Amino acid sequence: MNRRNFVKSSVVGGVGLATVNAVRPNATASVSTSASAPTPAFELDEMTINDLQSAMTSGKYSSHSLARKYLDRIDDIDKHGPAINSVIELNPDALSIATELDRERKAKGPRRRLHASTVLIKDNIDTHDRMTTTAGSLALGGSIPMQDSFVAKKLRDAGAVILGKTNLSEWANFRSSHSTSGWSGRGGQTKNPYVLDRNPCGSSSGTGAAIAANLATIGVGTETDGSVVCPSSASSLVGIKPTLGSISRSGIVPIAHSQDTAGPMCRTVADAAILLGALAGIDSRDGATRAGAGKTLTDYTKFPDPNGFRNARIGVHRKAFGFNDATDKLLNDCIDIIKRGGATVIDPANIPTQGKFDDTELEVLLYEFKADLNSYLASLGSRAPVRSLKEIIDFNEQHRD
């Protein structure tokens, strides 16, 4: 069963489809309304990294032709049609980079598994090119960092084509106590690609929506507390928040150094494992990565194991159930699958301290946000539009309309 069929069976089993606005007919059964006409089939729909590498090796596609197809797809359904609004800025050099990677493949062969793979990254990840990095804030409009983030550099080194930046919850959902998932002042509101009037979840909402809608092969989000895994869940993706320090935080607009990290957001486990291996590594600009010396790997694809449930002990947090009957049924079905796979299921395995540390966690985030953001802004140099948290606050006061 592929990802879309899984989503289809789950939705058909638990949602009144007459009220659903779907981006495309095969996304959630054959569903559409007058609010969103079905979009045409996409040639690269659900294709994986390995699928596309094989197609390029055979000569069916080139890096340039793939990049062109994804850019056309963005124009068709992100900017027009259902207007998912997940991409905040396109890379004006994407096609020329893809052409150069075609030349390199012909002369030397592919660099790595990601050679010529298209990727969309969240707009709080620095790139030193003709794209800006704004965290969705108008205050950072026009900001071009002085160097690539570690994440962007690793992607380029692997031969990936960065198609553009994705929208997000402004300042990674840390702009106020009334912020909205998937909305930024610069980018507007990102829609859930499966149900257009539902929450795409944040803050990596743009990456989640874009990869679910096949606007690129793979995507990168960032997470402090749920910002990769929540939009991945909402868009039926595989999202990984790796151990802190596995992927460098340098060149990423911060919230808090004790919890921030980038992470893969992909349509399959295999793609997420490939991307994680490409992004992991030691960075002199991020001391937390030094703790991973000898532990981080370049290949995580050997770890997915179809027999991985055997001898595992898995707890069920029953207090989190009860929000929705259909969701509860789906989760209970999943628990049955886990049992059949050989796991020992501890049910319930409730967490007695749930919620106990919310206030102290927020205090840590507020404390680190002020220091970490000021440090990031200082790294942008004298030409940065704002250079301190105070200047951002002043900007918002001066442009409150």
Side-chain angles (χ1 to χ4, degrees):
M1 177 180 287
N2 66 28
R3 186 182 69 95
R4 285 203 185 279
N5 286 338
F6 174 78
V7 175
K8 174 180 175 180
S9 64
S10 301
V11 172
V12 169
V15 177
L17 290 180
T19 61
V20 173
N21 297 328
V23 167
R24 45 185 298 120
N26 66 342
T28 51
S30 297
V31 182
S32 65
T33 71
S34 58
S36 174
T39 56
F42 180 47
E43 183 179 352
L44 306 179
D45 201 31
E46 298 298 292
M47 292 192 75
T48 67
I49 292 171
N50 289 335
D51 291 337
L52 293 172
Q53 289 298 326
S54 296
M56 284 187 282
T57 299
S58 71
K60 180 177 181 180
Y61 298 120
S62 66
S63 175
H64 184 279
S65 70
L66 289 175
R68 180 71 273 168
K69 289 177 188 297
Y70 280 118
L71 290 170
D72 288 345
R73 171 78 164 173
I74 291 169
D75 187 63
D76 286 344
I77 71 169
D78 198 67
K79 304 309 175 191
H80 300 96
I84 299 166
N85 198 38
S86 64
V87 179
I88 202 168
E89 182 173 359
L90 290 172
N91 184 356
D93 300 315
L95 291 176
S96 61
I97 291 169
T99 298
E100 186 56 39
L101 287 167
D102 282 331
R103 294 193 188 103
E104 183 178 322
R105 179 186 290 270
K106 186 175 181 180
K108 304 177 183 178
R111 294 184 199 178
R112 303 174 196 171
R113 291 177 177 178
L114 289 188
H115 189 101
S117 293
T118 56
V119 59
L120 285 164
I121 65 176
K122 190 175 177 179
D123 182 39
N124 62 348
I125 301 173
D126 285 356
T127 55
H128 181 65
D129 50 19
R130 291 200 286 163
M131 291 187 289
T132 59
T133 303
T134 69
S137 172
L138 297 172
L140 277 174
S143 178
I144 296 180
M146 299 179 71
Q147 59 183 315
D148 271 346
S149 61
F150 184 80
V151 165
K153 183 178 184 303
K154 291 284 280 185
L155 289 169
R156 296 191 208 277
D157 289 347
V161 180
I162 301 175
L163 283 184
K165 302 283 188 78
T166 54
N167 196 20
L168 68 160
S169 310
E170 187 173 321
W171 296 111
N173 232 356
F174 212 65
R175 64 180 291 270
S176 84
S177 58
H178 302 288
S179 57
T180 300
S181 283
W183 181 90
S184 72
R186 181 187 174 211
Q189 180 65 51
T190 294
K191 300 174 185 176
N192 185 310
Y194 287 102
V195 191
L196 296 174
D197 61 353
R198 301 294 178 87
N199 192 336
C201 205
S203 65
S204 303
S205 46
T207 303
I211 302 308
N214 287 269
L215 305 187
T217 312
I218 50 177
V220 180
T222 68
E223 175 165 334
T224 302
D225 192 347
S227 290
V228 163
V229 296
C230 185
S232 295
S233 176
S235 289
S236 191
L237 300 179
V238 179
I240 300 175
K241 180 181 183 178
T243 302
L244 194 72
S246 299
I247 298 174
S248 171
R249 300 160 297 181
S250 65
I252 296 177
V253 181
I255 291 178
H257 60 264
S258 62
Q259 291 184 225
D260 289 351
T261 182
M265 298 176 70
C266 301
R267 291 185 293 268
T268 68
V269 173
D271 280 2
I274 292 169
L275 181 54
L276 179 60
L279 297 178
I282 311 302
D283 179 15
S284 61
R285 290 198 286 158
D286 185 351
T289 63
R290 289 194 290 271
K295 299 175 184 176
T296 54
L297 304 174
T298 57
D299 183 10
Y300 289 88
T301 60
K302 58 187 177 183
F303 294 110
D305 179 4
N307 298 312
F309 284 137
R310 289 180 182 172
N311 302 317
R313 287 168 56 85
I314 299 177
V316 178
H317 183 48
R318 277 288 165 187
K319 286 185 178 179
F321 286 60
F323 176 77
N324 177 278
D325 289 343
T327 302
D328 285 354
K329 181 183 183 305
L330 179 62
L331 289 171
N332 285 320
D333 289 345
C334 289
I335 292 168
D336 289 340
I337 292 170
I338 290 169
K339 288 178 179 177
R340 292 199 298 271
T344 298
V345 174
I346 313 301
D347 186 3
N350 292 318
I351 303 169
T353 57
Q354 182 183 10
K356 181 178 178 180
F357 305 110
D358 290 359
D359 291 343
T360 47
E361 181 198 21
L362 179 59
E363 186 172 356
V364 170
L365 298 186
L366 290 168
Y367 183 93
E368 293 186 2
F369 178 71
K370 183 174 182 179
D372 293 349
L373 185 58
N374 278 331
S375 178
Y376 169 82
L377 294 170
S379 76
L380 297 177
S382 59
R383 300 179 67 180
V386 287
R387 286 182 266 176
S388 69
L389 179 56
K390 182 181 183 304
E391 289 186 15
I392 293 170
I393 294 169
D394 291 343
F395 177 94
N396 286 339
E397 292 293 343
Q398 292 162 13
H399 301 88
R400 56 173 55 244
D401 288 345

